[in-house]
Amino acid sequence: MGSLPIQQPAGMNRMRTVYDLPGLRESIGAWRREGRSIAFVPTMGNLHGGHLSLLDRARQIADRTVVSIFVNPIQFGLGEDYARYPSTLKEDSRLLSGRGLDLLFAPDLAQLYPGGVDTDTRVTVPDLSSILCGKFRPGHFSGVATVVTKLLINAQPDVVLFGEKDYQQYLVIRRLVADLCIPVEVIAMPIVREPDGLAMSSRNAYLSAAERQRAPMIYQALQNAADRLRHGERDYASIERAGVAALEKTGFRPEYFSVRRSEDLGEPRPADTKLSILTAAWLGVARLIDNVKVYLDPLPKG
Ligand code: PAF
């Protein structure tokens, strides 16, 4: 398959698109031999401002940038939206080349799953993968961990960037990189929000106009919970119940609304100061996730 240079107006960089692993390794190997640093942003495409913020950061910190677009079947459960996940490679490609990307990797299924997807080798990060989203999407984080491992092994970037909207995913990947001794720095970038507070997500496209109006409530509920923590409340269960109730009142079907330690998503104790509030909730056919961090002053001693 090889690589196709994309036509670009004069003065812009020339993004290359490669569709297979040898093409990816060849391009990156050439940069490595020139001593260039490489930043990598894995995505499932249907790009929005959140993805572009990752690319912008990648361009600031490395000499060359690589984005992958691959809708990874094994991170979707039965009955989830794999089949209808929006595929917009042409538009994505235009956006990325206009934004200064150097290399787009857009493999098909056979490239990343040469042995098929049913009995292939999986990478699983224990514990972290079975709580919160992992409880409601069994196998999801193993699917993510597996494909990210394959991508990192082949791209061998210096830095890999993820968005904090998928905060649990970021922690899973940080753990797998540490446990498998993969020499890459994992960077998390802040959530990018619409003007009304809704976190940018490809799945926002599933919302009807009426649902879209109500959707920012997910962020408001998180902020209300954060305010209670900032005001000194430590009855986490009561804060969580109020979050669930607020979402239900707006027509969401919440899966969880949970106060956790930011570091490892463990259950917090009253003296913990680095907290995250995380939620997943359905609105119509869209499953939305969001989270906020609350870093508190340590309690006075004695
Ligand atoms: O966050 C995503 O888009 C995906 O989970 C990822 C990390 C690209 C793996 O398929």
Side-chain angles (χ1 to χ4, degrees):
M1 262 185 261
S3 66
L4 292 178
I6 301 261
Q7 286 299 320
Q8 293 229 305
M12 299 186 81
N13 83 320
R14 270 181 159 257
M15 181 181 89
R16 296 184 101 206
T17 302
V18 294
Y19 300 95
D20 53 17
L21 291 169
L24 175 72
R25 290 184 207 124
E26 204 179 281
S27 300
I28 290 181
W31 290 333
R32 286 234 163 275
R33 285 190 294 279
E34 291 169 6
R36 313 268 184 209
S37 60
I38 290 147
F40 175 47
V41 180
T43 80
M44 297 206 298
N46 194 237
L47 304 178
H48 50 67
H51 297 111
L52 297 180
S53 77
L54 302 181
L55 172 56
D56 291 347
R57 183 76 188 128
R59 291 188 64 216
Q60 287 168 355
I61 58 183
D63 301 323
R64 293 289 181 268
T65 49
V66 184
V67 167
S68 64
I69 294 184
F70 177 69
V71 183
N72 174 37
I74 69 165
Q75 70 186 75
F76 291 80
L78 273 180
E80 288 189 358
D81 54 345
Y82 174 61
R84 68 194 162 98
Y85 199 85
S87 167
T88 52
L89 186 58
K90 246 189 168 160
E91 290 89 324
D92 292 346
S93 177
R94 211 171 300 128
L95 263 180
L96 293 168
S97 67
R99 202 87 171 191
L101 177 70
D102 297 302
L103 182 67
L104 171 61
F105 177 50
D108 64 11
L109 195 64
Q111 281 299 311
L112 289 183
Y113 294 97
V117 293
D118 295 327
T119 55
D120 62 317
T121 299
R122 299 287 163 111
V123 177
T124 301
V125 173
D127 304 332
L128 251 183
S129 298
S130 52
I131 58 171
L132 303 173
C133 281
K135 197 164 143 194
F136 292 90
R137 303 185 72 189
H140 167 68
F141 287 116
S142 177
V144 170
T146 302
V147 80
V148 169
T149 302
K150 289 173 193 246
L151 291 166
L152 290 177
I153 287 173
N154 283 281
Q156 299 196 5
D158 299 284
V159 180
V160 63
L161 297 97
F162 296 92
E164 280 189 343
K165 183 175 71 65
D166 300 291
Y167 186 68
Q168 188 174 3
Q169 166 174 284
Y170 158 66
L171 290 185
V172 164
I173 289 161
R174 211 174 66 176
R175 263 286 302 282
L176 94 80
V177 161
D179 290 354
L180 299 181
C181 312
I182 302 178
V184 66
E185 183 187 351
V186 185
I187 292 185
M189 291 294 293
I191 297 175
V192 178
R193 298 184 180 279
E194 302 286 357
D196 61 9
L198 181 65
M200 288 192 183
S201 164
S202 303
R203 291 191 168 104
N204 294 349
Y206 300 156
L207 297 167
S208 69
E211 288 160 355
R212 176 63 189 82
Q213 295 241 306
R214 278 181 279 147
M217 184 61 207
I218 196 165
Y219 182 47
Q220 279 157 33
L222 290 168
Q223 282 182 311
N224 293 343
D227 282 346
R228 288 176 64 169
L229 291 171
R230 285 192 200 100
H231 284 105
E233 267 195 64
R234 292 295 176 272
D235 183 348
Y236 303 126
S238 155
I239 292 172
E240 291 170 356
R241 278 195 304 275
V244 167
L247 289 174
E248 283 175 343
K249 215 171 130 201
T250 323
F252 282 88
R253 286 166 288 124
E255 285 183 347
Y256 64 83
F257 188 102
S258 195
V259 183
R260 296 291 171 120
R261 282 198 303 260
S262 298
E263 183 56 22
D264 57 5
L265 298 183
E267 310 246 352
R269 282 165 309 216
D272 283 321
T273 55
K274 292 194 169 172
L275 302 175
S276 287
I277 314 163
L278 306 99
T279 185
W282 290 86
L283 191 55
V285 296
R287 181 180 183 277
L288 304 181
I289 59 172
D290 201 350
N291 66 86
V292 298
K293 269 190 256 183
V294 188
Y295 287 0
L296 303 163
D297 293 332
L299 290 173
K301 287 216 169 79

